[in-house]
Amino acid sequence: MRYDRLPRGGDALIAWVLRVGEDGMHILHAVYHDDAPPGLRELRSVQVLRQVWVQQYWHDEAGQLRWRAAKSTRDRASRRMTGQRNTGKTSADGRPDSASARVPWSTMEIVTPHDPEARYSQKVTAAGRRDWIGYRDHQTETCDELGPNVIVHVLTRPAPQQDIDALDDIHHQLTRQGFQPLEHVVDGGYVTPDSIHHAALTWGIPLLGPVRDDPQAAQRPGFTKEDFHIDWDNRTLTCPNGITSPPWKPTLGDGHPRLSVLFPRKACRECEDRLKCTGNVEGKGRHILLLPEPQQKFQSQVRKDQKASNWQRRYAIRAGCEATVSETVHAHGLRHCRYRGLAKTHVQHVLTAAGTNIVRLSDCFPPGTTPASPSRPPGHFKRLCQRLPT
């Protein structure tokens, strides 16, 4: 028996993928034939095969098997309920054209038959981009200076689900356990003006974490959004040079309410700071998106506070959480899934947290009761010196 290497790319790879697809289709047609035993269709392996083939293959108008293309945009919560970009074209019979037949979002796509619930995700960190297939673990621990930090809550979610999407479930469980209204220190992945407002209003939990700076500030080095004066009563915005905008208009941004402010083009063209402010050379007026009043006030205040040394000293307490992540990963193998499925993986995460707490508590003793540490055994050189005659 001979095993050939997989094609590296090009037409040979597509031909190989289509041949595999035809083999899978042949199995599915046989299983779903009227003469096949009905119990075959209910097998877990058959259901996984059917779903994978639906996600990876489709038939064009001529009935030919085609391989779906890769996703053209990144997975985002606001896009999951809508069609993918550039995928609106369909033929008369409703079939997608070749440009729009793409694999589904990573929240739905099965990437390994060994664990159909595992999903693909990627995350950009300080060390670079990290890709993985599996799940995402959220740990919440105490940060009391009087005792050891212990993990009090563990949440397991599919890998593509962003940190901020899990924050509401975390606060719900913390509230049930009585950790309310204590301050919750989180990293930037959990913090937006919307999440700060929602946590305070719904759960009574104040969030402490960095709000992302203006992503386009580098393109507009002259004035940031915080340099403009907001008149909430008259629904206008005034720039640092004294130009007042027309009343803003409500709009949507990523599915959330926003306020669109557009300064007059004539006024911006005559301004000597136009290039530094608008960041464009077409002569357009400055366009600013504001959040609703409570969220906008949160964003402006936190962006101002997080630059102060007092805020940074308060936030430094979260360094212990990074140490907890390192401890559970490197000492207890948190990122090595020993089970399949979300439910069993969550059990592993809970047991890992419990084991971490036991190790920490075993090293903690009340004041004055710390047992004496055993003396260090002598080394080889010291024992040799002891044997020598004086």
Side-chain angles (χ1 to χ4, degrees):
M1 184 177 295
R2 177 189 177 193
Y3 294 94
D4 295 329
R5 293 181 178 271
L6 294 178
R8 293 185 178 274
D11 295 338
L13 176 62
I14 295 178
W16 182 85
V17 170
L18 292 177
R19 185 167 67 250
V20 173
E22 292 288 356
D23 294 340
M25 286 294 182
H26 179 74
I27 296 176
L28 292 174
H29 285 313
V31 170
Y32 282 87
H33 195 270
D34 294 338
D35 298 336
L40 292 178
R41 307 170 190 176
E42 306 300 328
L43 294 177
R44 177 62 174 169
S45 57
V46 173
Q47 291 296 321
V48 172
L49 177 65
R50 182 189 63 81
Q51 187 173 347
V52 170
W53 253 240
V54 169
Q55 293 176 353
Q56 297 295 330
Y57 298 98
W58 66 289
H59 289 90
D60 60 15
E61 60 276 3
Q64 295 294 323
L65 187 68
R66 301 282 294 274
W67 186 27
R68 295 184 186 273
K71 290 181 284 290
S72 59
T73 54
R74 294 184 61 184
D75 188 7
R76 189 184 291 177
S78 60
R79 297 173 180 167
R80 294 171 190 163
M81 303 304 295
T82 61
Q84 300 185 30
R85 290 183 178 179
N86 302 325
T87 61
K89 298 180 181 179
T90 57
S91 58
D93 59 354
R95 295 180 181 275
D97 62 354
S98 57
S100 62
R102 300 182 181 273
V103 296
W105 297 121
S106 55
T107 51
M108 300 175 56
E109 183 183 8
I110 296 177
V111 291
T112 170
H114 303 289
D115 187 352
E117 296 183 30
R119 297 293 183 262
Y120 166 81
S121 183
Q122 62 176 228
K123 187 175 183 179
V124 179
T125 63
R129 192 181 72 174
R130 174 170 297 174
D131 303 77
W132 79 96
I133 296 174
Y135 305 92
R136 193 181 293 239
D137 176 53
H138 304 267
Q139 302 173 353
T140 306
E141 68 174 352
T142 61
C143 50
D144 190 357
E145 297 180 356
L146 301 178
N149 296 342
V150 294
I151 302 174
V152 296
H153 180 258
V154 176
L155 182 68
T156 306
R157 285 292 180 263
Q161 186 182 89
Q162 299 302 311
D163 295 340
I164 195 169
D165 296 331
L167 188 61
D168 206 44
D169 290 338
I170 295 175
H171 285 165
H172 175 64
Q173 296 296 330
L174 290 178
T175 302
R176 291 181 56 187
Q177 298 179 38
F179 294 96
Q180 185 265 348
L182 298 180
E183 188 176 53
H184 193 187
V185 185
V186 295
D187 68 10
Y190 297 89
V191 182
T192 65
D194 292 323
S195 67
I196 296 176
H197 180 256
H198 180 76
L201 185 65
T202 305
W203 306 108
I205 298 178
L207 280 185
L208 177 62
V211 171
R212 187 180 66 161
D213 291 330
D214 187 356
Q216 298 180 348
Q219 303 175 11
R220 295 189 287 261
F223 306 121
T224 63
K225 184 168 62 174
E226 282 68 31
D227 296 324
F228 290 73
H229 174 70
I230 305 175
D231 189 343
W232 294 104
D233 295 330
N234 296 320
R235 303 171 56 245
T236 59
L237 206 62
T238 302
C239 78
N241 287 340
I243 303 299
T244 300
S245 71
W248 56 60
K249 297 180 180 180
T251 184
L252 292 177
D254 285 339
H256 299 283
R258 296 293 183 263
L259 305 174
S260 176
V261 184
L262 183 61
F263 280 82
R265 179 177 298 184
K266 181 177 182 299
C268 290
R269 282 179 177 176
E270 297 174 355
C271 180
E272 59 182 11
D273 294 323
R274 176 179 60 85
L275 291 179
K276 293 190 299 181
C277 177
T278 63
N280 64 71
V281 296
E282 293 86 0
K284 297 180 181 180
R286 177 69 181 267
H287 181 221
I288 294 179
L289 278 179
L290 294 178
L291 304 173
E293 184 174 358
Q295 292 92 318
Q296 184 59 54
K297 290 182 177 179
F298 276 126
Q299 184 185 68
S300 300
Q301 187 63 40
V302 175
R303 283 181 174 176
K304 179 182 178 180
D305 293 343
Q306 65 191 18
K307 297 178 182 179
S309 58
N310 184 33
W311 187 95
Q312 295 174 2
R313 284 194 298 268
R314 288 178 57 205
Y315 188 67
I317 195 173
R318 197 191 167 274
C321 185
E322 298 297 337
T324 298
V325 173
S326 178
E327 178 183 359
T328 55
V329 169
H330 297 98
H332 307 298
L334 179 70
R335 290 178 180 165
H336 179 68
C337 274
R338 296 168 174 82
Y339 307 99
R340 299 178 183 178
L342 179 64
K344 291 184 178 180
T345 302
H346 176 63
V347 173
Q348 175 187 336
H349 291 168
V350 171
L351 294 177
T352 302
T356 303
N357 289 340
I358 292 174
V359 172
R360 291 181 175 182
L361 294 175
S362 64
D363 295 334
C364 179
F365 299 93
T369 62
T370 304
S373 58
S375 58
R376 186 177 180 180
H380 295 289
F381 181 74
K382 185 175 182 179
R383 291 198 299 268
L384 178 63
C385 293
Q386 293 174 348
R387 295 172 185 171
L388 295 177
T390 57

